[in-house]
Amino acid sequence: MKQIQLFIFALLALTACQPKLNFPAVTENNKNLNSLTTLEIGENKIYLQDFILNPADIDSVTSSSKALVISVSDDKLNATLTAKPELEQLVNVQIWAKGVAYSLPCRKTDKIDYTFTFDTQGKTYKRIQIAGQMNDWTPANTPDLQLNDKGLYEVLLNLSPGTYLYQIVLDGDQNHDANNPNKVDNGFGKYNSILQIAGKNDSFPALLTEDFSKVKIILSAQNNVNEVFAYWQNYRLPAKYVKIENGKITIDIPTEAKEPNRSFIRIWASNEYGVSNDVLIPLQKGHVLTDSKAISRTDKHAQIIYFMLVDRFKNGNRQNDKPLNRPDVNPKVDYWGGDLAGLQQKIDDDYFETLGVNTLWISPLNQNPTQPYGYYAPMKTKFSGYHGYWPVSSSKVDFRFGTNEEFKNLVADAHKNNINILLDYVAHHVHNEHPFYKQHPEWTTPLYLPDGTLNTERWDDQRLTTWFDTFMPTLDLSNPEVCRMMTDSALFWLKEFDLDGFRHDACKHVTEEFWRELTLKMKKKFKEKTFYQIGETYGSPKLIAGYLTTGMLDGQFDFNVYDIANTAFAGVGGSDFNRVQSVLNASFYTYGNHNLMGYVSGNHDKPRFMAYASGDLKFGEDAKAAGWERKIGITDSTAYDKFFLFHAFNLTIPGIPVLYYGDEIGLTGGNDPDCRRMMRFDGWNNRETKLWNNIATLTHLRKNNPVLIYGDFINLKTTADTWVYARKYFCKEALVFINNSAESRTFEVELPKALKADKLRATFDNKFRKTGPKISIALPAYSVEVILN
């Protein structure tokens, strides 16, 4: 141990010569971090304008790997990267522009062949298919299952290790796999089965931050390391900047890092088995950031998002209340009076500051129709556009929410209070009353398919053309004129109201061309400002990740983690933290350990967590019908404790925590529209107050401790109903203990050598004991403790 300490001290003492890259520190191509790209064996297309703002500046695209063949199109807009089977696990691609080499880290796919089998149990079917996250819920994307010589039906899948939700399709009837006991509720009266594919992740290198000086960073490495890839912004640091010795990796911070206020060091390592976790280190004027006071609202990883439906949040001005008040519109789906004035009041009285959130995601504000549309036959009701997703204008705030001037003032006041504003933007469709559609019906996709069937709610097989309803025309964003019009509309909202970014609706139903054109315009129009864009996509990690590049979105909501964690913490559907850990690990692999994905407590399209946790909503029942047919309450108050565990999970893992309005006090309800009840700000009972206070404690803990924002993630011990994991950011450490059992639990965990666990303090005052490398703590039923140094 003394030798290691002397070695580290010697390294830190070498501060006399801080190396220089001799590349420009601040350029338009070095502002946004280039994403890690996964290369499949064979041809891979990359869009060079994702990384180089002006493709005409590109000189060449190169790589040192002989197993990667690169060709660039004549217009320099894209490149084809052909990966041979012998490709190294991690390679660096250099995009040369005006003599400067901008780097793109690329890893080899980890997909393996897996034979999926199904037993018909003696029954006869003409056609057997699989639908799930492995094929984006589209059976046609995978060959039909065929009978093998063992009497089972099988299909060969090529998938990354991880967890996949799926259903079996038997002669067109789709439901869970009766042979598989592992399943989760899908919220629509059925279940999704769970497929687990094992990998070799335990052999991958593992990196942890260990120490730093003014000019050096030291990491510890577990497992064999063949090569280290270290980047400052989009420059790969030359070999002389990186030293590997005795399980330690030393990185020199380049002199150029002193110029920008905020920049980042990113590090990966590889061996013959795969690629390590990523390490992300923020720099403040070239020095490792350690003081939370240096973190501002423009630091994307530090966001804690709060989402509200404006109409259901707070009524601040009854003069603009204009409910339809019609007998053919059920009050549950009419306007309830929430508005910008009410939201302004909660900003002014420091509700969000006290709660600890720093980013507000606001539901769409566009003018919506004044008449009802749609029809829900069981309740014989039409719907108002209270939610904001039926735009009839692309520039005017709905008069029932307020005015354009009110929204401008609200954003300005939010910024004064260090709060970001993200607007929910709808690019996929307009309402049929929108002037765009009236003047140019040819700008939309066909309502009827060539076979004469209606093209509505065809979420998967007609993903880019389907209409959400017959009165909501889908815009044909493959038409350059339509794409230009809608991206310009989005820019209008950004500029007119000084927004900080967007939540994008229905991302997978919108062409990639739209996302690329919008993000490119944002980069060119607002060169001095960065934005955060987060999307909504239900589907496989591969589909979701397809929109996450430097040239498109920053993040998406991780519904795959939400779906499995929601049932686990609620205690329904055979809940098991081991499954949650597996899905979370798959997300870390796909999106990175320091991703900008949104980890939600709930949303406006899901049943409320409290309804399941309290047992008032039954596992497997139709949650939408339940919300209409009966009053869902909270009969088991332990649901509040369970919900806090879910919040604690979201607030202590990497990524962006997203709090759905009302979840801070435990509002309940079935699926839409019952999950959209009015927010309450007074009359809270003791349970609601305690939940609110506990959440606020953890949001502020996260804001004040960079280890919970930028720290490495270390899984320590997982059982079906307990979980222990750690975050580590150099000498700062956080240990998270979760007891999701109805009984008290005593945890005894042996800490790895990388965790020193000195001078620890408990956030919620549970007593613990540390003896050498072991730490023990007793937790009551449904409780959590976060211990930090």
Side-chain angles (χ1 to χ4, degrees), residues 372-443:
Y373 286 82
Y375 189 70
Y376 184 63
M379 296 302 296
K380 299 179 180 179
T381 184
K382 295 181 179 180
F383 298 80
S384 75
Y386 71 94
H387 42 68
Y389 290 95
W390 299 345
V392 299
S393 169
S394 295
S395 59
K396 182 179 181 295
V397 169
D398 194 303
F399 62 85
R400 289 158 293 205
F401 298 151
T403 65
N404 286 29
E405 193 63 27
E406 281 183 275
F407 188 36
K408 285 182 185 178
N409 293 335
L410 183 149
V411 175
D413 287 346
H415 289 169
K416 291 176 183 176
N417 286 275
N418 294 313
I419 295 174
N420 297 313
I421 299 294
L422 307 179
L423 181 64
D424 203 321
Y425 185 74
V426 182
H428 171 265
H429 61 263
V430 293
H431 191 276
N432 60 18
E433 291 184 12
H434 198 295
F436 290 168
Y437 181 65
K438 289 183 175 181
Q439 297 168 15
H440 294 281
E442 74 278 7
W443 283 358

Side-chain angles (χ1 to χ4, degrees), residues 425 427 477 483 486-487 510-518:
Y425 185 74
L477 291 163
C483 192
M486 291 306 293
T487 51
V510 175
T511 63
E512 290 186 8
E513 289 83 359
F514 172 85
W515 303 122
R516 285 196 157 87
E517 182 169 331
L518 173 60

Side-chain angles (χ1 to χ4, degrees), residues 653-671:
I653 63 172
I656 310 299
V658 183
L659 190 66
Y660 181 41
Y661 85 93
D663 282 350
E664 70 268 40
I665 59 171
L667 285 188
T668 191
N671 207 339

